[in-house]
Amino acid sequence: MRRFRLVLRGLALAVLGLSLAGGRASAAGPVRGRAGEAGFPPIQLYTPEGPLASSQNFAVAQDSSGVIYVGNLGGLFVYDGAWWRRLGKGDAAILSVATDTRGQVAIGSVDEFGVFVPDASGALIYRSLAALLPAGSAVGYVRYTHHVAGGFCFLTETQLLVWNGGALTVVASFPARPVAVAPRSFRVDDTVFVWLKDGVFRLDGTRLVDVPGGRRFAGRPVDAVVSADGGGWIAAVAGEGLRRFDASAESEFAPRASRWAVARELTRATRLHDGRYALGSRQGGVLLLAPDGEVERSVHSIHGLPDDYVRGMLPDRDGDLWLALNGGLARLATSSPLSVFDVRAGLRGSVVALERHAGTLFIGSSAGLFSIAPEEAEIASESREAPRRVMAAAAVAQRTDLAASVFSLLSVGSDLLVGTGSGLRWIDARGAHSVNGTADETVYTLVRS
């Protein structure tokens, strides 16, 4: 047994949370810097306020000043960072929202679509664009609205429309189809892609043009399109998963994430400002991927989201990710260098000590000794089983003598010293051991001689 010095009762104890700032823990670097030690991104929940507000949300957008617009079952709600207000009259559900650099806000609803235009005082005044269609024209659900050069485009159940600030142009017409095979559109950077039964196309002004390789997706419904590193695009194909394609080839992208996309029924996909991917689903919340497609973390209702059905996604100007959920509204701090291990990961009690030993981060808390072992990021399997509880922080031992409150930790060679409320222990390759004569002592601090 190596020599060590004990500092027992009577010392002040600094209680640290699980942010690795200060003390011995800072020498180990941030948690996210080590494979398998990324915790959960901080989650902030929001609730649109007002007599017509609902918990069901469909879309979220942000204008150039940072104001958030939420398409809600009860209408269009605006959040300026402090207060909520509702735009427009009536109680129609807002299914899609988009903003432009001139302060205009376009919305798609049921049998209605239009744009809020600022007046001389800056107040937003609504103008219906459905009124520009010929009398008797069918509109139906307007689930997709995007900003384009000079105006907005709207995808209804039977038409793709472009408004240039004055005139409304019919770009394409098609028969109404079931939702599973209905046309859909996606904005990637400054380009709008449209999936029709004949494949993936690109909106060029007021006409649709071929996308290199896009005809391969004829008859294969595409739920999302995002850009790929090195050129080309990634399409999320219903029932198939993630497919990388360009003019010359098509291949599977990120096999693990691809299986998740099929099992959890992908609904949305976007790229974050740092190049990572975020996938939203109907049954599994969100999956975060590294730029190379490696799975980083799934975040769903067991991890703190109010609902697993992602209807809309927005990377905001601060780099965080807003989620319009079927039962809530959430903001994931995906740009933060901090991540969180708490009860969702199996960690219990108040954290009071941290020590890296033999490559593993050990945690002393009021509930005992825990460790964060490198783990393979948990994602749903193809069997569509219920999401599993992630145990990123696992108990080192279930023995009663190691379940006591842990106040101090010290790595000494191949041994880990553990100061508890009932004496000193040490852990080596053979297991946990008690130090004779310390059972009645509370070991608050351990200092190397």
Side-chain angles (χ1 to χ4, degrees), residues 231-322:
W233 300 273
I234 296 166
V237 182
E240 297 182 36
L242 307 179
R243 309 295 299 178
R244 180 170 183 160
F245 74 99
D246 56 24
S248 59
E250 177 190 339
S251 60
E252 185 177 36
F253 177 76
R256 292 185 65 221
S258 187
R259 292 192 295 270
W260 179 93
V262 173
R264 294 306 180 192
E265 299 181 43
L266 185 142
T267 57
R268 293 287 188 272
T270 188
R271 295 204 73 169
L272 304 178
H273 298 325
D274 59 9
R276 289 182 295 160
Y277 298 90
L279 310 181
S281 71
R282 183 173 283 103
Q283 299 184 36
V286 175
L287 191 67
L288 301 177
L289 310 181
D292 62 0
E294 186 68 24
V295 172
E296 286 190 354
R297 168 66 64 195
S298 64
V299 184
H300 44 76
S301 55
I302 291 180
H303 302 147
L305 290 183
D307 188 75
D308 285 332
Y309 189 169
V310 179
R311 289 185 174 271
M313 303 175 72
L314 168 73
D316 69 16
R317 65 179 189 172
D318 295 322
D320 292 340
L321 182 67
W322 287 78

Side-chain angles (χ1 to χ4, degrees), residues 196 238 266 379:
L196 302 174
L266 185 142
I379 63 174

Side-chain angles (χ1 to χ4, degrees), residues 58-61 71-72 76 93-98 105-109 112-114 141-146 153-155 268:
F58 301 97
V60 58
N72 184 270
L76 181 63
I94 304 301
L95 306 179
S96 55
V97 184
V105 182
I107 58 97
S109 183
E112 173 63 23
F113 62 96
Y141 291 87
V142 185
R143 294 189 174 92
Y144 302 92
T145 300
H146 309 286
C153 71
F154 305 86
L155 184 62
R268 293 287 188 272

